[in-house]
Amino acid sequence: MKQKVATFSGEEIYAYTIENGKGMSLTALNFGAAITEINVPDKNGLTENVVINYQDISNYEVNPYYLGIVVGRTSGRTKEGLLKFEDQAIQVEKNDGNNHLHGGIKGLAKSIWEVTEKKDSLIFEYVSPDGEDGYPGTVTFKVSYVLSEDNQVTINYWASPDKKTPINLTNHTYFNLSGNKKTDILNHSLKLASPSFYELDKESMPVRVVKVDDHPTFDFRKGKLVKDVVDGGYEQTDIVGGGIDHPFLLDDSVEEKITLTDPESGRTLTVKTDDPAVVVYSGNQVKQTPTLNGGTAEKYAGICLETQMPPNETESYLIEKGEVYRKQTVFSFNAK
Ligand code: FUC
């Protein structure tokens, strides 16, 4: 189902909805391929939206929080906006202080995607021209959102460049399992199959990999409440505005890499991915405006689980001409 919802700079913006036979549905825009709703049942069978969106759709045109979009061409921060590979140092935009963030000012987040609707999936395609946002090569991007009968949302990423270029995609959906953003996510429990993470400097640039054994605040292997982490008085949570905004390396031997639970609604989200890392972002910079669903906006309104390659490691995510970038992340919803 397709519905026109806005016009941005003369371009028609549509919301596409797919649903399964269990009452679950997903809605996304052709702008940024932004996921605006995922409706899933709670422990009592009440179906509600478990992602954050803007109350006023026009805010997606600027989208200060990158709500729901596909991030690219590269996710996270690149130091000084310098894509260093082989003997090259390609300067891309510095759109986060002295650094490059989430593919630049436009990026895939503010691109209009061609959408193909199928019964159980939405397929998005965008051809980014050579030099867009400063990146080399023309790249064809395809992303699909697939909704299964057992309440799974699978995101498939596919990209093919005509020149060697870095590609590192993710999705920037903020989950809030309370349903229709009744509460913030501080009472959600987060479990990560992650033995180590990247310490950040004051500009949020990753500096070194450290073991969670030596940093117990970030040991999520047995699960812990988000509020117990953000209140920790820990230097690494303080420098990102009081919360989590860090790349975690995922344990290859564990299938379910991430589990997010809201004890109140009984909803659980588990995540499987073939990416080796996840940037967990606890919404530390969300301000009071623009307002979100539920009519308010606040710090910790939602939590992003950005599966990806560790950011700022350009050499590790170079895709050759003729090579195909393929990634998959599966979000499974349950309630009890
Ligand atoms: C996340 C963070 C950033 C930023 C942004 C909106 O991925 O890593 O710090 O604030 O998204």
Side-chain angles (χ1 to χ4, degrees):
M1 195 183 73
K2 169 183 176 182
Q3 194 193 351
K4 188 180 167 196
V5 289
T7 305
F8 294 165
S9 311
E11 298 280 355
E12 302 202 322
I13 307 303
Y14 292 91
Y16 296 82
T17 300
I18 45 173
E19 27 184 272
N20 68 9
K22 305 282 164 43
M24 181 173 168
S25 68
L26 177 147
T27 300
L29 306 178
N30 58 338
F31 196 73
I35 295 176
T36 58
E37 287 185 39
I38 296 179
N39 292 292
V40 284
D42 71 359
K43 64 183 174 195
N44 301 314
L46 178 67
T47 298
E48 294 170 309
N49 181 15
V50 295
V51 309
I52 298 306
N53 60 32
Y54 296 111
Q55 206 175 24
D56 179 350
I57 193 99
S58 68
N59 287 305
Y60 280 94
E61 192 167 9
V62 177
N63 198 352
Y65 306 135
Y66 296 84
L67 296 194
I69 51 85
V70 171
V71 185
R73 298 185 185 191
T74 62
S75 301
R77 293 179 173 80
T78 301
K79 196 169 176 58
E80 294 166 5
L82 281 175
L83 304 172
K84 290 187 188 160
F85 60 97
E86 292 158 347
D87 53 356
Q88 312 187 52
I90 297 173
Q91 183 72 60
V92 288
E93 291 159 358
K94 296 179 180 178
N95 59 327
D96 185 66
N98 199 32
N99 303 310
H100 176 73
L101 176 67
H102 290 341
I105 293 165
K106 178 175 176 283
L108 298 180
K110 296 191 185 75
S111 299
I112 305 263
W113 296 64
E114 286 288 326
V115 183
T116 307
E117 291 177 89
K118 299 225 167 134
K119 194 184 172 307
D120 64 346
S121 60
L122 297 172
I123 302 156
F124 298 81
E125 183 168 345
Y126 175 68
V127 180
S128 174
D130 186 18
E132 188 167 49
D133 301 315
Y135 284 85
T138 298
V139 184
T140 301
F141 291 95
K142 283 187 199 164
V143 174
S144 66
Y145 300 148
V146 185
L147 178 56
S148 75
E149 286 302 313
D150 51 357
N151 289 1
Q152 290 186 344
V153 174
T154 300
I155 304 186
N156 297 297
Y157 301 93
W158 186 99
S160 167
D162 71 349
K163 195 187 270 184
K164 188 179 211 168
T165 195
I167 299 174
N168 184 19
L169 307 181
T170 191
N171 178 277
H172 211 276
T173 293
Y174 290 64
F175 295 98
N176 180 326
L177 303 179
S178 69
N180 300 343
K181 200 173 82 57
K182 283 194 282 299
T183 66
D184 58 34
I185 49 89
L186 290 176
N187 283 318
H188 282 36
S189 151
L190 176 68
K191 189 174 166 193
L192 296 177
S194 171
S196 54
F197 69 98
Y198 283 74
E199 272 188 349
L200 303 180
D201 68 12
K202 289 196 171 63
E203 294 180 353
S204 284
M205 288 306 308
V207 273
R208 69 183 76 82
V209 176
V210 296
K211 289 197 167 74
V212 298
D213 285 327
D214 302 326
H215 298 265
T217 307
F218 276 0
D219 186 352
F220 291 93
R221 288 173 295 186
K222 294 201 169 83
K224 51 169 75 174
L225 296 180
V226 175
K227 71 173 174 206
D228 292 340
V229 178
V230 304
D231 284 350
Y234 172 45
E235 175 256 342
Q236 281 294 304
T237 55
D238 293 347
I239 59 168
V240 296
I244 316 163
D245 193 359
H246 293 71
F248 288 83
L249 289 172
L250 296 167
D251 185 341
D252 217 22
S253 67
V254 178
E255 207 193 356
E256 292 186 345
K257 313 273 188 201
I258 309 167
T259 307
L260 184 70
T261 307
D262 171 38
E264 185 67 27
S265 67
R267 291 188 182 97
T268 293
L269 163 62
T270 54
V271 184
K272 296 177 192 169
T273 184
D274 49 20
D275 262 317
V278 61
V279 171
V280 176
Y281 173 54
S282 55
N284 321 320
Q285 284 127 35
V286 176
K287 311 267 183 337
Q288 280 155 335
T289 55
T291 48
L292 305 172
N293 42 344
T296 57
E298 60 281 298
K299 208 170 168 175
Y300 315 125
I303 185 164
C304 298
L305 306 169
E306 306 163 44
T307 53
Q308 61 188 268
M309 299 287 289
N312 195 43
E313 296 185 358
T314 307
E315 293 267 9
S316 73
Y317 41 82
L318 291 173
I319 307 297
E320 303 279 346
K321 174 184 177 170
E323 198 190 335
V324 174
Y325 165 97
R326 270 179 224 274
K327 291 287 166 113
Q328 184 180 76
T329 296
V330 181
F331 298 94
S332 303
F333 295 89
N334 277 293
K336 57 175 186 254

